[in-house]
Amino acid sequence: MLEIIKAGGWLMLPILVCSIVAIGIIIERFWSLRRQRVAPKHLVGQIWQWQCCNQLHELQIKRVRENSPLGRILAAGLVNRNHSREIMKESIEDVGRHVTLELERFLNTLGTIAAITPLLGLLGTVIGMIKVFTVINTQGVGNPAVLAGGISEALITTAAGLAVAIPSLMFYRYFRGKVMALVVDMEEQAIQLVEVMHGDRELDPVENAAA
């Protein structure tokens, strides 16, 4: 492996750094975007039970806020539960925008890695081919070792760039889709909380259990 990296030339270094960063982001996002961590099940039902039992006080709201991103969104609405429906909704939307940005953290970096690593590989190809043609121009085709070195550099950097870019792009799209699904789910639960708190609808235990 070390020999292959050396044969690819200095452009293998940024490609290698990109691969390490991409692996770190993928592991971190897998951990951070777990559904149970972001949007725990039955949270709205639990809050409604506290409300019915008159146990929904500041300490409970603080715990809800600290336990999950969905809890942060719902806690923003609970703090304003005694105000109008519109104010409660606005406070939820304000916090929801910040939570969405946090869920998308590092995804732009992963997308950038997916975009630039093929270009780095292509640059390595161009440099390798320039070396080959320079050798041919100065020494002719009588030195196959030098020619092979240039061709090897050209092919290895292209392969390395694509090897990093393809999984990076796959995981970038996967995490984008996962974030969108989580945001839609959190929006539904937040709207449900607002409507239940203001008596516009009854909490459906079956629907809440499935959420």
Side-chain angles (χ1 to χ4, degrees):
M1 179 62 74
L2 187 60
E3 293 301 320
I4 292 175
I5 294 174
K6 285 182 179 177
W10 65 270
L11 271 170
M12 286 296 288
L13 182 60
I15 293 175
L16 189 62
V17 171
C18 285
S19 69
I20 294 171
V21 173
I23 291 171
I25 292 174
I26 290 168
I27 294 173
E28 192 275 341
R29 287 292 85 189
F30 262 123
W31 177 262
S32 299
L33 295 179
R34 286 173 298 135
R35 184 179 183 82
Q36 187 56 31
R37 177 189 172 277
V38 176
K41 288 183 178 180
H42 316 309
L43 186 56
V44 174
Q46 180 67 60
I47 291 171
W48 181 240
Q49 284 183 3
W50 289 335
Q51 174 72 2
C52 292
C53 299
N54 200 24
Q55 295 176 345
L56 190 59
H57 44 73
E58 290 303 319
L59 183 58
Q60 295 283 28
I61 295 175
K62 183 182 177 185
R63 286 177 182 166
V64 169
R65 182 186 296 113
E66 292 175 348
N67 281 342
S68 66
L70 174 61
R72 283 180 57 196
I73 295 173
L74 299 183
L78 293 174
V79 170
N80 296 286
R81 64 188 182 281
N82 296 323
H83 296 283
S84 67
R85 188 175 189 277
E86 287 68 28
I87 290 178
M88 190 175 175
K89 245 183 116 176
E90 285 176 7
S91 61
I92 285 176
E93 288 172 353
D94 286 342
V95 176
R97 281 190 284 271
H98 291 286
V99 170
T100 302
L101 284 177
E102 289 179 9
L103 294 180
E104 292 176 342
R105 188 174 53 178
F106 302 136
L107 292 189
N108 281 339
T109 304
L110 189 60
T112 302
I113 289 173
I116 66 169
T117 44
L119 298 178
L120 290 172
L122 181 61
L123 180 60
T125 300
V126 172
I127 292 174
M129 294 310 294
I130 289 173
K131 286 182 180 178
V132 171
F133 286 116
T134 301
V135 169
I136 292 175
N137 191 39
T138 57
Q139 302 178 19
V141 294
N143 192 343
V146 178
L147 293 177
I151 294 172
S152 175
E153 180 176 342
L155 297 179
I156 288 174
T157 53
T158 301
L162 291 175
V164 176
I166 291 171
S168 297
L169 182 60
M170 289 171 57
F171 281 109
Y172 169 76
R173 293 189 179 278
Y174 169 75
F175 288 129
R176 292 284 295 181
K178 189 164 188 176
V179 168
M180 287 182 65
L182 288 169
V183 168
V184 169
D185 183 38
M186 289 191 293
E187 282 180 354
E188 288 177 352
Q189 295 198 50
I191 291 172
Q192 186 184 34
L193 178 71
V194 172
E195 293 180 346
V196 168
M197 284 289 178
H198 285 84
D200 296 332
R201 63 184 284 189
E202 297 295 328
L203 184 66
D204 185 347
V206 176
E207 181 184 347
N208 186 255

